Amino acid sequence: NFVEQVGVVVPAILISGLSLPCLSALLGLIYFVGRALYAIGYTKKAGAKGRLIGAGILDLALLPLMVLPFYSGYKIYTGLTK
């Protein structure tokens, strides 16, 4: 699951970082902390239910990371970046 998403998340962070570097870095950090909590929770005795906290955190970061590259591309296309 991680390998499948990292191919989407890393380019999203890089593209959105062109116009919003701090926000992109923060969302990337939140995503990877959530991913670590997901893995830790999954390996504990709770099993699959232990991953819910990590999954919620990474999903909260994933949604804006899927939108921000389009916003960044729009800003670059219209010449609004500084």
Side-chain angles (χ1 to χ4, degrees):
N1 197 357
F2 174 73
V3 175
E4 295 167 352
Q5 287 187 355
V6 78
V8 174
V9 171
V10 171
I13 293 169
L14 293 174
I15 293 169
S16 62
L18 294 172
S19 63
L20 299 166
C22 293
L23 180 59
S24 300
L26 177 64
L27 289 171
L29 178 66
I30 292 169
Y31 176 82
F32 286 109
V33 167
R35 182 52 75 177
L37 291 174
Y38 180 96
I40 292 169
Y42 193 75
T43 58
K44 297 291 180 187
K45 291 184 180 181
K49 291 188 178 188
R51 64 187 175 167
L52 294 178
I53 293 173
I57 293 171
L58 71 92
D59 285 342
L60 287 175
L62 190 60
L63 181 63
L65 280 173
M66 296 297 105
V67 175
L68 284 178
F70 294 102
Y71 175 73
S72 181
Y74 173 76
K75 282 184 70 174
I76 291 169
Y77 179 74
T78 58
L80 296 177
T81 57
K82 295 179 183 178

